[in-house]
Amino acid sequence: MKLTVVGGGSTYTPELIDGFARLRDTLPVEELVLVDPDTERLALVGGLAARIFARQGHPGRIVTTSGLDAGVDGADAVLLQLRVGGQAARERDETWPLECGCVGQETTGAGGLAKALRTVPVVLDIAERVRRTNPDAWIIDFTNPVGIVTRALLRAGHKAVGLCNVAIGLQRKFAALLETDPGEIHLDHIGLNHLTWETGVRLGGPEGEDVLPRLLAEHGETVAADLRLPRPLLERLGVVPSYYLRYYYAHDEVVSELRTKPSRAAEVAEMERRLLTMYGDPQLDTKPELLAKRGGAFYSEAAVDLAASLLGGGGSPYQVVNTLNRGTLPFLPDDAVIEVQAAVGPKGAAPLPVAPVDPLYAGLMANVTAYEDLALAAALRGGRERVFRALLAHPLVGQYEYAERLTDSLLAHNREHLAWA
């Protein structure tokens, strides 16, 4: 089995490599190719990857290359984890929206739109080259904004599934609080990427006992603290929102915080400098503890599980993924990309049935789905007016004066990445 990671020079990659090494019985990779245009980073990450495999006795071969076509040739699955513009672009995404009093964040709001505009054309070009070289390969997208990027891939007819680590992170936290094995926790997970709610926490599978009320009663303070939301709010809602919902439920509070501290991008950039120095140590043959603070916790386990199921290797029967709605949430278009529990196998992901959704959540999902429609149109076709319409539609922007100013800022900060601008 051959797997290719596009964006293999990312500091995330050793987390992925560690998962491949530990879970080799689930996903027996014979060749793992890391593709990245930054040959210096790639050499550091690739060297550590080879040492991790060797330490854990993995017989697979690590290959590094800057050539995309050669890297994806013959791959059974291609994982996308790229960041167009790097941390410098992320830094801008997180700062210029604050000038209008709007959240500055890399995957949602105005900053998320900027990332989508930079990213979608690049990902589609990569996917077309994968299809020419190996039309049977699965594409697993971890590149943000996952929902919009996955929708672009699926609309273009690619064999693609989107992946996020929010659900698996909550599964692991809930399992620890309930003192049970993570495999026993099944989440009733509904929404869009980075806009999700856990409406049930079941023991043993989709039909298991719902222990969410007990979880909130016994551990509500801990859960609320992790989400940085008030416990009374969780008790009133009776669900667990993802931490991204704080941008909506406490928008002004978040903006005030962001204006008074260094950006997350600046923190990550410094962390990456330290990690790359560590990766260059020829004695290092395990992922460093600092990597846990980089983000992407449990990404490797989710990626291995998904790839194993898509390639027929026996991953978990149900997984939270990003895939086409196809009537699962009847208030959204069939071609919307939703993030829900799905049965995953060699034919792809089939969403499990979902109970009727409270209008409190359905309304926000419908609003953000409309924004994603407009964002994808702007990413595919360009044009200032399309950017403005997407921003005006986003619930974190919404006012026409803000949308005008943010459109000008977005274009000013991203012209080098937008061919049409």
Side-chain angles (χ1 to χ4, degrees):
M1 182 184 297
K2 176 179 176 178
L3 266 65
T4 299
V5 181
V6 179
S10 168
T11 52
Y12 273 133
T13 300
E15 164 73 25
L16 191 61
I17 299 300
D18 179 73
F20 285 140
R22 288 186 293 102
L23 303 172
R24 55 184 175 272
D25 291 339
T26 302
L27 189 68
V29 178
E30 297 166 296
E31 183 176 346
L32 182 61
V33 182
L34 307 180
V35 179
D36 203 291
D38 189 329
T39 55
E40 184 175 347
R41 285 174 66 114
L42 188 60
L44 295 173
V45 173
L48 175 56
R51 295 192 297 273
I52 290 173
F53 263 29
R55 177 187 174 89
Q56 299 197 30
H58 195 297
R61 186 164 68 106
I62 301 287
V63 177
T64 60
T65 180
S66 59
L68 177 66
D69 294 333
V72 301
D73 187 21
D76 296 288
V78 177
L79 282 72
L80 304 181
Q81 56 170 37
L82 55 147
R83 182 183 294 280
V84 179
Q87 293 298 332
R90 177 179 179 175
E91 167 77 21
R92 294 191 293 271
D93 293 345
E94 292 179 347
T95 51
W96 54 263
L98 295 174
E99 297 169 7
C100 289
C102 296
V103 162
Q105 212 278 330
E106 64 158 338
T107 65
T108 192
L113 176 61
K115 193 172 196 303
L117 297 182
R118 294 193 304 269
T119 304
V120 166
V122 174
V123 166
L124 288 178
D125 177 67
I126 292 169
E128 284 299 330
R129 292 166 69 177
V130 171
R131 180 152 56 188
R132 287 198 302 267
T133 304
N134 186 8
D136 293 326
W138 278 102
I139 295 177
I140 297 174
D141 178 58
F142 192 66
T143 296
N144 280 317
V146 167
I148 295 173
V149 172
T150 302
R151 191 170 187 182
L153 288 166
L154 291 170
R155 180 179 287 186
H158 297 290
K159 293 176 59 177
V161 180
L163 180 65
C164 181
N165 69 321
V166 168
I168 193 172
L170 288 173
Q171 180 202 43
R172 297 303 197 265
K173 287 179 182 177
F174 296 165
L177 292 172
L178 296 168
E179 298 182 340
T180 189
D181 183 87
E184 291 296 307
I185 298 292
H186 178 95
L187 301 176
D188 290 345
H189 180 101
I190 61 165
L192 314 177
N193 180 241
H194 290 184
L195 193 82
T196 54
W197 297 262
E198 311 309 323
T199 60
V201 177
R202 301 185 181 275
L203 293 180
E207 305 301 324
E209 176 193 2
D210 183 8
V211 296
L212 177 57
R214 174 159 67 90
L215 178 74
L216 290 176
E218 297 178 0
H219 305 285
E221 203 64 47
T222 299
V223 174
D226 284 344
L227 300 174
R228 300 187 65 200
L229 289 169
R231 178 175 182 175
L233 176 63
L234 301 191
E235 292 172 342
R236 292 174 69 182
L237 297 178
V239 303
V240 177
S242 84
Y243 54 84
Y244 285 93
L245 265 298
R246 186 167 182 261
Y247 297 121
Y248 298 82
Y249 293 163
H251 176 274
D252 293 353
E253 179 182 335
V254 172
V255 169
S256 296
E257 291 174 2
L258 293 175
R259 282 173 160 169
T260 59
K261 67 178 185 178
S263 69
R264 173 63 177 165
E267 294 175 358
V268 170
E270 174 57 29
M271 211 176 299
E272 286 197 334
R273 284 190 286 271
R274 294 170 59 192
L275 284 169
L276 289 170
T277 299
M278 294 177 183
Y279 295 172
D281 180 357
Q283 302 303 312
L284 183 67
D285 55 8
T286 61
K287 62 176 183 178
E289 291 184 10
L290 178 62
L291 186 55
K293 299 180 181 180
R294 169 66 179 82
F298 308 114
Y299 160 42
S300 63
E301 295 173 36
V304 168
D305 208 16
L306 178 55
S309 293
L310 292 173
L311 300 176
S316 301
Y318 307 116
Q319 298 170 44
V320 173
V321 297
N322 285 260
T323 191
L324 289 174
N325 181 34
R326 296 193 189 97
T328 306
L329 300 177
F331 52 88
L332 297 181
D334 284 350
D335 67 346
V337 165
I338 60 175
E339 186 173 292
V340 292
Q341 287 279 2
V344 183
K347 293 184 179 180
L352 300 184
V354 172
V357 178
D358 188 315
L360 181 61
Y361 316 126
L364 188 52
M365 280 187 244
N367 190 336
V368 175
T369 296
Y371 151 76
E372 290 187 349
D373 287 342
L374 296 167
L376 186 53
L380 294 174
R381 300 170 63 191
R384 186 188 188 281
E385 186 63 17
R386 292 190 181 92
V387 174
F388 169 79
R389 286 167 59 83
L391 287 168
L392 187 61
H394 201 295
L396 295 181
V397 179
Q399 299 184 54
Y400 75 89
E401 290 186 359
Y402 289 174
E404 287 282 12
R405 290 173 57 190
L406 291 169
T407 298
D408 290 338
S409 295
L410 186 154
L411 296 178
H413 287 292
N414 289 277
R415 290 192 192 280
E416 64 183 296
H417 299 293
L418 306 177
W420 51 269

